Amino acid sequence: MTQKHLIVLDLDGTLLRDNKTISQKTKEVIFKAREAGHEVMIATGRPYRSSEMYYKEMQMTTPIVNFNGAFIHHPTNPKWGIRHTPLDMKVTRDIIDASQDFKFNNIIAEVLDDVYYHYHDEKLMNMFNLGNPKVTTGDLRNFLPASPTSMLIHTDQEQITQIQRHLNDVHAEVIHQRSWGEPFHIIEIVKAGLNKAIGIQQACDYLNIPKERVIAFGDEDNDLEMLDFAGIGVAMGNGIDAVKTAANEVTLTNEEDGIGIFLNDYLNLKTH
């Protein structure tokens, strides 16, 4: 066989089609790659509770990167340990306090798989309900019991820039932030210095695979560090321009079996 590679898969817009399922063709190719001796793992911005179903569907036996690197663990090997890097509690409280000066719709704090809402909001709750988290609603300054893995500020589009500017001015050294678009305008905040590449490096060390033999697939700005780290960074055809520029290769879209077709060819797997 070709030398052992580590194949790293983002979920939304990458492994998952737009209807949040994995195509049969891509699934067959990934199973074939594993049969050939390669390792496969997930690196996602999602919490574990909403990525576990895909981990199990793909019968994975590797570490998984969640919350863009803020939580890394090995679901099938507890001895591997847990790498959890939450936000500092004082920074969290400062951000919640400062948010009161801006127009925001809600603040959500996730402590691993527990979710805390500043205000009750059915639409948001439906969005974050995958995996049936423990949910608490109320002023986060009173109800948040521990440092959050990730914090989300839901606001209107015209407020995004103002809030992000404030966060940059006051907390740039201790937090990393990015914004989402539709269906909700959200600013996502994790501790500074975290990204998917950190977790992938830990998996490489564990699996004894050099980064030159990492094949990583992504489509969004939270995949940039991962694609830069990988020996072969592959942008999805539906990816943003910055991802395509950063990648070594561009494959077809998530709706066109981009992962399966690339791996089949690159690893010479000979699936149909």
Side-chain angles (χ1 to χ4, degrees):
M1 78 168 217
T2 54
Q3 286 183 298
K4 185 178 188 176
H5 286 73
L6 173 60
I7 299 159
V8 186
L9 309 171
D10 168 54
L11 287 178
D12 297 284
T14 303
L15 177 64
L16 304 183
R17 294 179 290 188
D18 294 345
N19 66 0
K20 305 304 180 189
T21 62
I22 305 167
S23 82
Q24 193 58 37
K25 178 180 174 58
T26 289
K27 194 185 294 188
E28 285 171 9
V29 172
I30 290 169
F31 276 88
K32 186 85 172 186
R34 276 220 303 269
E35 283 172 25
H38 304 293
E39 300 280 1
V40 185
M41 70 179 288
I42 290 170
T44 177
R46 288 182 179 223
Y48 180 61
R49 69 176 183 277
S50 62
S51 44
E52 180 183 16
M53 59 194 281
Y54 303 113
Y55 185 93
K56 289 181 172 175
E57 181 181 349
M58 301 303 291
Q59 297 173 26
M60 292 191 172
T61 56
T62 45
I64 182 170
V65 178
N66 291 111
F67 289 109
N68 293 317
F71 180 51
I72 307 151
H73 80 299
H74 194 317
T76 62
N77 180 9
K79 290 180 182 174
W80 193 76
I82 289 173
R83 283 77 160 167
H84 182 214
T85 315
L87 286 156
D88 179 83
M89 196 61 165
K90 182 182 183 308
V91 172
T92 300
R93 290 185 182 282
D94 286 349
I95 291 171
I96 296 166
D97 283 337
S99 296
Q100 312 304 313
D101 297 333
F102 297 93
K103 182 175 178 291
F104 72 93
N105 301 321
N106 213 335
I107 304 175
I108 305 127
E110 297 183 83
V111 182
L112 294 177
D113 287 324
D114 296 341
V115 186
Y116 296 83
Y117 296 89
H118 198 68
Y119 301 123
H120 185 88
D121 184 325
E122 290 290 340
K123 285 183 181 175
L124 273 180
M125 287 175 168
N126 287 338
M127 178 179 170
F128 287 91
N129 198 38
L130 203 58
N132 295 314
K134 178 188 164 196
V135 172
T136 305
T137 302
D139 192 316
L140 294 181
R141 292 167 292 189
N142 302 324
F143 286 94
L144 189 61
S147 301
T149 316
S150 166
M151 194 154 67
L152 308 167
I153 300 173
H154 174 218
T155 185
D156 297 330
Q157 188 172 6
E158 57 273 12
Q159 291 286 308
I160 291 269
T161 307
Q162 284 179 277
I163 296 174
Q164 286 195 300
R165 190 181 298 130
H166 167 80
L167 292 172
N168 265 336
D169 289 346
V170 181
H171 301 294
E173 292 178 6
V174 290
I175 67 164
H176 175 72
Q177 57 163 311
R178 60 186 290 261
S179 59
W180 304 357
E182 302 294 340
F184 298 103
H185 295 286
I186 282 175
I187 300 166
E188 175 189 320
I189 302 164
V190 294
K191 190 167 184 173
L194 295 176
N195 57 65
K196 295 180 180 184
I198 290 170
I200 297 163
Q201 176 69 71
Q202 292 175 359
C204 284
D205 294 344
Y206 168 68
L207 297 165
N208 198 26
I209 297 174
K211 70 176 193 173
E212 292 74 35
R213 296 206 301 271
V214 172
I215 308 171
F217 294 86
D219 70 309
E220 272 290 349
D221 60 353
N222 62 329
D223 297 314
L224 288 168
E225 294 90 352
M226 170 175 84
L227 297 181
D228 185 56
F229 170 86
I232 304 100
V234 186
M236 302 303 292
N238 51 289
I240 61 172
D241 289 343
V243 165
K244 291 177 179 175
T245 302
N248 305 101
E249 307 274 354
V250 179
T251 187
L252 297 174
T253 71
N254 62 322
E255 289 287 321
E256 300 169 311
D257 293 310
I259 291 173
I261 286 168
F262 183 90
L263 290 175
N264 203 22
D265 182 49
Y266 188 86
L267 298 174
N268 196 25
L269 296 170
K270 296 186 174 67
T271 63
H272 300 295

